[in-house]
Each structure stands twice: as C-alpha cells, then as structure tokens.
Amino acid sequence: MFYRRAGIRHTRYQDERQLFPLRFDRWLILLVLGFLVLAPFTLDRLYLAGYLLPWLIWSTAALGLNLVMGGAGQIHLGYGAVMAIGAYGSVHLVRYGVPLEIAMIAGGLLSATIGIIFGAAALRVKGIYLAMATLAMQYIVDFVISQTPAISGGSLATIQVPPVRFLGFSVRGDVETYFVALSVCVLVTLFMLNVRRTSFGRALAAVREKDYAAQILGVSTFKYKLLAFWVSSFIGGVVGSVLAVCYLRAVSPDQFHIELSIQLLAMVIVGGLGSVLGPFFGAALILFAPIVLNNLMGLISTTLGVSMSIDLRAHVPLMAYGALVIGFLLYEPLGLAKIYDNLRNYLLVWPFRHAQR
Amino acid sequence: MSVNRRIFLSGTAAALAAPAVSTTGAFAQEKVVRFTLSQDFTRIYTFVTSEYNQGQRDYFTLVNERGGINGYRIVADVSDHANDLPRAIEAYERGKREGSVLIDPLSTPVARALVPRALEDKVNLVTAYSGRSDAADGTSFPYVLPLSINYWTQAGLIIDYFRQIENGNLRGKKVVFVHIDTPFGKEPLPILQVLAQRLGFELLPFPYTPPGNDQAAIWPQVRRARPDFVIFWGAGVGQTVALTEAIRNGMRMDRVSSSVWISESDMDVVGREAAKGVLKVEPCVSGREPKPIRDILAEVVAKGKGAGPEAKVGTSYYNYGVQMGSLMVEGVRKAFEKAPNGPVTGPWLNEGLRSISNFTAEGLLPPTTVSKEDHQGGGLGRISRWDGAKFVPATDWFTANQDIVWAEIRKYSEEFRRSGK
C-alpha cells in the first residue's frame, strides 16, 4: 500500500546501493527528522525534556551497545561503566577549560582505551564467561570512581557540569541540549546504517555467526573483536558525556551503576539485536512503559476514584511492565524492530498476502 | 497466533499513545497549592518511603480537612520514580507543568540530578535526609531546601553525645565507623576526622560493600578492634544487618548509634528485645504523643481517610513525613502572610519556606528556623535510645560541632558556586 515495492526495477547501481531504496522509507525518515528538528519549537517542555531528550540519549547508547552485541555477537554487561568513563573523563576536561567538542571525543577515546582492555577478554572467552568479564568491568569501574575522590569529587561525590559551548552555541537551555543530543544521535545512527555495508560490518557479522569459521575465511577475529569493543566503547563514551552535559548536568557515581547497564541491555534485546531501528523502539519501551503505566494508574485512581494504597499503585505498573517484557520475548523474540518489519513486509505487497522475495 | 499478535500490537500502541493523557485540568479552577511527591516506592527505599509518604499525606489531609490554608487546599501528586533518573525528571517536568511549586523526591541521586533544574526553574526542591548536604547554605542553593539536619550534623551530634557519656573527654577512646561503601556512607568521614583530631579519639572506619546484606566479614574485625563506641551508617537492608551483627558480636548496645535511618520496622526484623539500648539521631519526636499525630489519629485516621495502615502511624519514618509535611505547610502559611494573594508560584513559596522561624509543629519538632542563609533549620536534633518498645529521648534537643559542619558546607557550596558559573 504505502511502500509499493512491486514493480520497482533498479536501472542504476546507485539506486540499488542507496540506504533507503523505497521512496516511502525516505519520506518517512524525512518526516521523523523534520519532526525531531521542529520539536523544540512546537512541543511542550515536558515532552521535550521529559521524553524526547532521554529517548535520543538512551537510543544512541543502545545503538553503541547493539554494535558489540547484535553486530559482533559479544555480550557486554558493563556498558554503564563505559558511559561513566566517558562522562567523568569529559566533565573533568571541560572543568579544565577544554572545549566540549574535544572533551567529548577525548571522553570517547578514554572509554575506548579502557573498554578495549576488558574487551580483550573476549579473545579468550565467550558467552556467559564474557558476560562475567564485562560485569567485572562494571564493578571495577564503579569501585575506582567512588573510591577516588579526585575523580568522584570529594565527600559529596557530585561534580557539577560547568556551562559549556558546543560549536559556538551555549549549551544551557532545553533546546540547545536537545540539539546536541540530536546531532550526536543522527551521527551515530548514520554510522550504524552504513557500517553493515562496509567490510568491517561484514567481518563483524562473520565473527558473530561463528568466530572460528570467520577465522578460516580469513577474517582476523582478534582484530575485529577488539575493533568492535573499541568502536562501541568510543560511542559509549561520547554518549556518556552527552548524558552528563545535556541531561544530568551533574555527574555522581550512582548514575552509572549496573542498573544502567541492565537497562541498556534490555533496550537492545527488546528492541531487536542487530537492527538499527531496534534500539530506538527498545529505548522508548524500556524508558517510558513504566512512566506511562504509572501515570495511567495515577489517572485511574484519581479520576475513577478507585482507592488504592500507594504501595499497590506503585507496584502494579511494575508487574504490568514485567508482563509486557515477557510478552515481547514470548511472541516476538526478535524484538520490536521485527514487529515493525513484519508490518512493513505485509504492507509492501498489500493487498496480497504473500509475495516472492 | 495472528490474532494474538494483533491484540498484542494494538495493546502496545495504546500504551505508547497514553502519555498524551494527562491529569491536568482536574483541579485547574480550584484554589490549590500543588506539591509533587515523586518518590521511590519500589526500588531501594521501599518501606521507608511508604511510611514517610503516608505521614506527609495524612498531614496534608489534616490541613485540608480543617479548611486548608487561606482557603487553599494542598494537593500532593504522588508517583513512583524508583530511583530512576529519567522517570524522576519526567515526574519533575510534569509536576512543573501542572503548576507544582515544590518537589520532594526523597532520593539522593534524584535530588542531585534535579538541583540544577530546580535552581533554574525556581521550583522548591525539598531534600530531607538526602541530596546534597551543602544545600544547607541557602545563599548558594536558594531553591534547594533540606529543612532537616544533614548527615554531617548528625555525625557531629553523635560524637558530642559520646563525649557527654565520657564526661566531656574522648581522649584515647576508640570510635568505630561502620559504613556502606558508597558516597552516602562516606559522607560523614571528613567531619569525623576533624573531630577525631580535635577531641583526641581514634577513628576506625570499616566500609562494607553495598547493598550490605552480608557484613559478616567486617564485624569480627570491629570486635577485635575493641571499640569504645560504634557508629553504623547505611540505609535500607544494610542497617538491619549491621544492627544484627553488632548484637551478635557483643557490642554494648548503649554505645552503638546510627543516623536518622533506623526505625521500629528495623527493630521488628532484628528483634525488639535484642536491640534494647541502641541509639539513633532523632530529628523529631517519634511515637503518637505529639499533638499533630494525635490530631491525625482523631481527625483523619478515625474517619477512614488515612493514607495507609493505622499501625504505621507514629513510627519514626511516619513522623519524619509529618515533620516535612508540617514544614511545607508552614512555608505555605508564611508565604500567604507575606503575599496573601499569591500568585502561587515557586518563588512565592520560597519566600515563605525561608522565613520559617521557631516552628515546632506543636511539639513535634525541635524549634526550627529556616532562613535565607541556613536551610538546615538550625541544626537541632537529639539522641534517642531504643527501650525495647519505642525510642526514648536520651538527650534534650541540642546542636553540636556546627563550626566544623559549616566549614564543610561552605567548602562545597563555594565549589558549587564556582563551577556553576
């Protein structure tokens, strides 16, 4: 119906090679991008600062994690720590007067350097053992940060982010922070869309499917596993610094605990391993389902006059949220991206039910 | 299968579309003062929060039942942020949009993330027993209001009480500080170190790893150190475990003290008899004796309008809630005195909250004076002893070592001001 793939025949290589071969997809992307760019000027601040901004930041982080998990098939339970390194690194640099753009990249490089050390474990171990190695990273980084007053900032353990400028604009209000987060998100998304078409992406896929088969094919698993950790840690570090500067505005160790890593992991899995769209869906669900369910419960109890103890009211959304996640895993283990894909495939050839691939 | 999936999909779509629904408008025309009580009911603080919150809401009900303040009713929006920052920030933004003039997140990480926003938006952020201790300096943090004795003051009070026990001389004594190994647990350390130097006692810190449900490795070491006094510092489950271990290792209970975070509910776990003698810092009277609590029992709970189980009325955390509720309401009252016609905004309430003077909530609190300089409310507290059934005051309201505490407060607030520019 909308997509109208039937009958399209590419006559030039460029057409075949473009990121979005379908016109409808292109328009959809433009529409979403247009909405995102215009959002600060049309949407209420609640939706901008309360929903869109965290969604962009968490989606970008999930994209970075998805590269190492969905792309290279390496389990990573310490992504929160990676973000912490980037956040602390860049905030400290900014406090020393380094411009934010450079501090962000430096934070990313710092994360990548430390991330790759733990990623090296991936050369020896796999699966659950790698999960434990990265979990260790989470705890070691947590420990080092909270035990080093020079990093965490003394007995209050909170470092304020000083006012900063990004590419000449002061990053202060909601609109500016939003655009910084948006531009980083767009860059990372573009990178992710393209990476699968490069030799790097293909090598990662080979490593993901069977690492020794990849080695036999001539793909250096040593090199590509490390590269996967390097790139994803770099992205994690940059996102960590975006999170600190644009959203939290003050860094403290308890913002980057294991909960953050688990949250990101859930986003990647619920969203869809290995897809680019998935992290966006996953982040939206994991971030907002509890909020929405909570508000719904609040609405029900105030408007319908249902008297409910606050403990029950607080726990019902939790149960519903758990059921929701289990439901996704039962009915669509490939994640939300796959649900969208099914929908798209159905509409591609509508009104016909099946079409030749 | 396909039907299942369709139902599943439409359900998801409905859930995703729901944020558009909001609670605005229900009270829009009425005369209300709106507070946001987005707190952690599910993740870490659980029963602490529900008792605290119950106290707050019961007090607001009491005020509203009596006709409100100046014809205005107090409306409290309660929600759960589960100590999760995106959820807390959403709740804050939502509250702000709906005209809330005060937010009480009761969570240190959340409060710390909300500080820059609250200062910018001029929304009163109450950080009782949480958040930044240096917010006691009202000149640097005009919109962040602890309204309660911070952890540095609490440590100062405990040490001073120990000094009183030893007839004013702690020289050569051993004080063990068992704490959770997080920024919160380590917070009192600088104060204790300065005091150790000044009073000549030996300070031995023993950190345990969070969340603290196993402290078996620490306490035998504590016993071996043969301390004269023990201070244990944690929150939630760590407190109960610490107390159990202290009892098991034969510490003298009347020489063991904690911060404000120990309650009747913890005693039920430890064993009410076994914990006899243990000390804590009390920021307000516990039990059902104070007049506001009796009023709540008579005018709210008896009429079936209580916010939670009646058994919890008068417990420590419940009374902390009433304490905070009464301070907030007193702030509203003062604000109406200054500007009777409002408009009800953050700065309007801020003026009121920062001019509370000698307020005791009819005997529930020590005389509390919040000024534009001092957001701690004067730093008065007392030490209480558990007698097996309730906490009995061991001292009168007093304050101690405020010079050291304020030196620390100034050090950090100065730093905050410098980096905020």
Side-chain angles (χ1 to χ4, degrees), chain A residues 314-347:
Chain A
H315 282 89
V316 165
L318 220 61
M319 293 184 243
Y321 171 64
L324 202 64
V325 171
I326 291 175
F328 272 115
L329 294 181
L330 273 181
Y331 292 109
E332 199 53 272
L334 291 174
L336 289 163
K338 181 65 183 166
I339 293 180
Y340 172 75
D341 199 44
N342 288 343
L343 213 68
R344 185 169 172 273
N345 283 342
Y346 176 72
L347 292 176

Side-chain angles (χ1 to χ4, degrees), chain B residues 157-347:
Chain B
L157 290 177
I158 293 171
I159 292 294
D160 197 71
Y161 178 67
F162 290 165
R163 193 182 57 79
Q164 288 172 29
I165 292 182
E166 291 291 333
N167 298 320
N169 190 6
L170 277 179
R171 199 157 291 282
K173 299 289 174 192
K174 243 184 221 167
V175 178
V176 161
F177 178 59
V178 181
H179 65 93
I180 187 167
D181 200 7
T182 62
F184 151 72
K186 284 186 288 193
E187 204 168 312
L189 267 176
I191 300 293
L192 294 173
Q193 276 155 357
V194 174
L195 282 171
Q197 222 158 34
R198 186 182 286 187
L199 301 174
F201 63 85
E202 192 185 345
L203 176 71
L204 299 169
F206 284 100
Y208 61 80
T209 47
N213 34 22
D214 181 19
Q215 301 171 24
I218 292 299
W219 286 91
Q221 292 181 47
V222 172
R223 185 173 57 188
R224 217 167 296 141
R226 297 182 176 281
D228 295 291
F229 297 98
V230 177
I231 305 173
F232 65 101
W233 210 272
V237 64
Q239 290 290 81
T240 323
V241 177
L243 192 51
T244 313
E245 290 284 344
I247 295 166
R248 184 184 303 163
N249 283 282
M251 299 292 141
R252 265 187 73 180
M253 276 298 120
D254 56 349
R255 301 278 169 110
V256 175
S257 181
S258 184
S259 60
V260 295
W261 293 128
I262 194 96
S263 77
E264 290 81 356
S265 309
D266 295 302
M267 298 306 175
D268 286 336
V269 179
V270 175
R272 287 179 168 246
E273 267 310 301
K276 218 169 178 174
V278 71
L279 304 163
K280 75 175 256 183
V281 178
E282 241 183 16
C284 67
V285 184
S286 62
R288 293 184 169 189
E289 273 313 300
K291 188 158 180 302
I293 310 294
R294 277 184 283 138
D295 289 350
I296 287 175
L297 279 170
E299 295 173 42
V300 178
V301 178
K303 288 183 189 163
K305 289 178 178 168
E310 195 191 332
K312 294 292 177 197
V313 176
T315 60
S316 301
Y317 296 158
Y318 181 92
N319 285 18
Y320 296 177
V322 176
Q323 174 197 12
M324 280 307 132
S326 66
L327 281 164
M328 292 169 191
V329 168
E330 177 68 9
V332 172
R333 204 164 270 140
K334 286 277 178 192
F336 273 120
E337 268 172 33
K338 293 195 167 205
N341 300 318
V344 180
T345 59

